[in-house]
Amino acid sequence: MNYTFDFTPIFLNWPLLANGAWATVCISAISMALGLACGVILTALRMAPVKALRAMAIGYIELVRNTPFLVQVFFIYFGMPELGLRMNAMEAAVLAMTLNCSAYVAEIVRSGVESIRKGQIEAGRALGLSTVDVYRFIVFRPAIRAVYPSLCSQFILMMLNTSLVASISAQELTYAAQMIDNQTFRSFEVYFVLGVIYLILSQLFSVGLRLVGRAYFSYGPAADRDPTAHARDLAHEYVTRS
Amino acid sequence: MTHPALPASAIRMSGVDKWFGKMQVLRGIDLTANKGEHLVLCGPSGSGKSTLIRCINALEEIQAGLIAVNGNPLGRKGANADHIRRDVGMVFQQFNLFPHLTVLQNCMLAPRRIHRISEAEARDKALHFLAQVHIAEHGHKYPAQLSGGQQQRVAIARALCMGPQIMLFDEPTSALDPEMVKEVLDTMIGLADQGITMICVTHEMGFARAVAHRVIFMDKGEIIESAAPTEFFGAPQQERTRAFLSQILNH
């Protein structure tokens, strides 16, 4: 092997990579927040007493979870303008990631809601609280806590998936790396460094999410949980990761 | 439309049937509780006593019969349920405190959301009732930091914060370690002195003797016998009641 490694062209282009990394962080963070919000709404629809709403939510979730993310990105960026919905690449990227994320979040959150003991809901009902209040004030936080590890791994997975939006020229980290590769032909070095940066980003997100969780779930041990829920979480984790 | 000569009934059930699928768990229940009356429900497990009180605040749906609380009939499919639940407090076997809220927040949530009172007012009210159950000093703690007996007393205070005229107790001491039973029963005896209508599912016969106006024995979904405690324990009329009492009092 007479290839000589040369990382200098990559380090010379560090502003490109830094901007790309920052864009990746932004796209990810915005999509996580929006995806969580939409996912919770989707969960509510998924569990609504009206059959038509449930059917709509299930249809949406299955559609998103059973088509490739890249196809969804293309559909939104290239397909939607035909219907008059024109977006720039960044907007399309955030929209695609939010829609994608919400479907996965909805399934995770639902398993969290189902893990809450019935007695919690009954106690709220017995106090006279409305169904919406029961879910909002009593079920929500323990349910999110119950599935927080799954949610975090889903978020990390999503952050890594941002690399796919380079394909519609959204100027994030992978796109920046491709540009450097095109200019320097240092493919090994470029993609090696790219991988390292993603690794660092996912560690940072992981730590950040853990800190958020620690602050939000600072109350005592989870005595509210159905004892079988843990096994179900593990099963879910297994399914979402594979 | 109650007759003026009759004491107003807090709870009236007539001809109540309840099915879980193909299994009938309540059969033609007729039961009236007058305002301020204390009833104790007892019977073997599976006799339908918990189901009966859960029907009163519409946690369970009934298939036949009528239930009225303070003269308000409970509609089918839980219509009117939210209205009735505001007058009816409930204490559960498993406490069912909200784990992510402090003791104070547990007590303040429903009054704030339903009565729309200010945070300060809700806090005062919560502290008042927490003091009544001798637990005000733990207001800032989370439920998991309390013992079972303390949690159950918080659950009682939480229900009282809504100002209920009726309290339902569903085996409130069955999940407690023996040394904590007394503190909860003492709290309930204290409540009984305040004129609240109480229906209590329990096997604590000492409590029944001390507090109940009537003890009601259920078996297989039916009310078998209903009598004042002295008669109920001294001279039970029904064979099934005698058999049950000999089992639970014989040691």
Side-chain angles (χ1 to χ4, degrees), chain A residues 119-120 122 125 133 137-138, chain B residues 54 85 96-97 99-100 113:
Chain A
Q120 290 287 309
E122 287 179 350
R125 303 296 284 153
D133 274 6
F137 294 107
I138 297 169
Chain B
R54 289 163 56 86
R85 284 170 179 150
N96 292 343
L97 294 181
H100 57 299
R113 295 300 299 169

Side-chain angles (χ1 to χ4, degrees), chain B residues 103 107 126-138 149-160 167 183-184 186-188 190-191 194:
Chain B
V103 164
C107 294
L127 284 171
H128 170 79
F129 287 111
L130 287 170
Q132 189 181 323
V133 301
H134 308 293
I135 205 153
E137 70 277 16
H138 295 300
Q150 290 171 325
Q151 288 191 50
Q152 193 61 298
R153 284 186 282 141
V154 172
I156 293 171
R158 179 176 71 179
L160 291 177
M167 285 285 282
E183 66 186 60
V184 171
D186 286 346
T187 307
M188 291 165 62
L191 269 187
Q194 294 173 24

